[in-house]
Amino acid sequence: MKFPKNFLWGGATAANQVEGGYDADGRGMTILDVTTAGGLHAGRQQTYKYADGMTGKEAEIPQDAAGAVLPGEYYPNQVAVDFYHHYKEDIALFAEMGFKVYRMSISWTRIFPHGDEQEPNQAGLDFYHKVFAELHKYGIEPLVTISHFENPLYLERHYGGWNNRKMIDFYVHFAETLFTEYKDEVKYWLTFNEINNTIMFLDLFANAKDEQYQAAYQQLHYQYVASAKAVQIGHKIDPDNQIGCMICGITSYPLTPDPQDILKNRHDWEQNIFYSGDVQCFGEYPSYAKRLWAQHDVKLDITDEDLAELKQGTVDLYTFSYYMSSAVTTHETKETVGGNFTIGAKNPYLQYSEWEWADDPMGLQYYLEVVNDRYHLPLMVVENGLGAIDKVEEDGSIHDPYRIEYMQEHIKAMGDAIENGVNLVGYTSWGCIDLVSAGTGQMSKRYGMIYVDRNDDGSGTLDRSRKDSFYWYKDVIASNGEKI
Ligand code: P53
């Protein structure tokens, strides 16, 4: 047996991409509720639109954030796949696949509609009690991401979001509320989803200016402090809590053996991957941080108390997403990879998905071995999967051999890493149920093993059905990864 006996097999989602119910039971708006299809990346405009027709960062903030939606515009995250009203059915399907763990996130504005309140919204707290009870009914352990890409709109507009040090207190109060409320229901937590992409995506999208690096490094610092404080509180409330960091794991290679490419690749790893992991796992800024800051003339607001917090608040687990690898070079390259962002040079040894993401299972093994050596912490792959267009047959069946093949190869790579001594404790495939793409806002970029009848334009019955991969994954879990 390659996989350890209690290996945590499961699936992963995020509140903003599945829940919908955006104005139900007192929930406040998040930035993603006012984002028309396509928010995070190129092709998905992150201009907020307001009922008064104003757009963009300079627009006046309506006092009531719920007014910030324009009629006639389509906002895919507002309904998403309506997990809010389908959670029982969905969790039953997860249980049928044999999930041991379900990674989900909590919508901040269900609990604190604006984000700066003292008192939580009881109806919001109740919803997650119901979800956790349903999971436990089937013996599924929740793994909860505290913040997954969805800042409260109010905090964004009134305080400038993570540019403001005050966000630390708002976040910590939110986290403490969750640790207290769900003490007996949740023991696995992640503080921030893909925390490193604040910096990483600057490189991927365009020639970012120094001011953008300045802002990104400062936001990250506040998030690291917020995370470290949350970890300490989480441990105090329940010493059994296992709290992890979550890193966007893209394995980067040098395109050529030119030493300049080799060094650039190493430095890219430092900036994009190691910087966040080092602060969260080691509790201090790495030596190369000075070089990274100097490169963009970055001057940070970091206090001695902050540094003490970082030291005290190191994580118990290192978790990451893995979809693809990238290749970097100092040379001119004709062949670059586009997709929903520029991921660098085209690697001639790899195949690419429809969204031009490189299919590279060995890159997962490589990544696992690197971070295993570096951190000596339990590791979890908390996102992995293939975004693809699925076809529903006349009889309602959905044949997705491409998705099965992608997952087979990545599970095999994890087994090989475990055989090489890697301490991997779990795997939650991304979008175990179809959901709204973070990068493009599409429904048609599907990751699920459960199909949801919902289309890019918002049409569809929201009915659920099992894809071929559903039955295949069920066997994988039942055989603890032996039968792939
Ligand atoms: P979508 C890009 C690269 C790696 C991870 O992404 C990424 C992204 C975002 O596009 O984000 C994670 O939906 C993220 C999820 C997201 C998933 O990858 O663009 O944590 O929220 O849905 C897949 O195909």
Side-chain angles (χ1 to χ4, degrees), residues 17 41 148 193-194 323 341 357 383 430 437-439 445 447:
Q17 290 169 268
H41 309 317
H148 191 129
N193 184 63
E194 292 191 341
Y323 295 91
F341 46 60
W357 290 19
E383 285 185 30
W430 178 248
S437 161
K445 188 182 187 188
Y447 287 88

Side-chain angles (χ1 to χ4, degrees), residues 12-17 32 40-41 103-106 108 143-151 162 171 174 189-201 220 223-224 227 244-249 276 280 319-323 381-384 428 430 438-439:
T13 62
N16 74 88
Q17 290 169 268
L32 287 162
L40 285 174
H41 309 317
R103 175 178 175 229
M104 53 180 273
S105 73
I106 291 192
W108 191 335
L143 163 62
V144 173
T145 316
I146 296 172
S147 173
H148 191 129
F149 292 165
E150 51 175 307
N151 280 349
W162 283 100
Y171 174 91
F174 171 47
W189 304 88
L190 306 177
T191 53
F192 285 93
N193 184 63
E194 292 191 341
I195 194 165
N196 58 318
N197 70 23
T198 305
I199 287 290
M200 185 191 242
F201 287 180
L220 267 182
Q223 293 183 351
Y224 297 150
S227 171
C245 62
M246 198 297 200
I247 305 292
C248 178
S276 293
Q280 294 189 286
T319 83
F320 64 101
S321 60
Y322 182 83
Y323 295 91
V381 177
V382 293
E383 285 185 30
N384 170 247
T428 56
W430 178 248

Side-chain angles (χ1 to χ4, degrees), residues 382-404:
V382 293
E383 285 185 30
N384 170 247
L386 178 69
I389 292 174
D390 293 326
K391 182 167 170 271
V392 186
E393 306 293 339
E394 288 283 301
D395 65 357
S397 60
I398 298 144
H399 306 305
D400 55 349
Y402 35 87
R403 182 168 295 108
I404 294 175

Side-chain angles (χ1 to χ4, degrees), residues 266-330:
R266 182 177 172 86
H267 288 176
D268 279 11
W269 271 84
E270 289 176 346
Q271 177 189 285
N272 295 331
I273 306 287
F274 292 147
Y275 181 80
S276 293
D278 288 1
V279 174
Q280 294 189 286
C281 298
F282 299 143
E284 59 188 33
Y285 278 103
S287 54
Y288 56 80
K290 287 210 172 73
R291 175 179 56 75
L292 295 179
W293 298 334
Q295 208 175 318
H296 297 289
D297 202 20
V298 168
K299 307 263 183 316
L300 294 180
D301 162 31
I302 301 181
T303 67
D304 289 345
E305 294 82 61
D306 291 348
L307 296 176
E309 297 290 356
L310 295 182
K311 200 74 209 164
Q312 296 299 313
T314 56
V315 293
D316 309 307
L317 300 168
Y318 181 101
T319 83
F320 64 101
S321 60
Y322 182 83
Y323 295 91
M324 64 188 133
S325 61
S326 65
V328 299
T329 180
T330 56

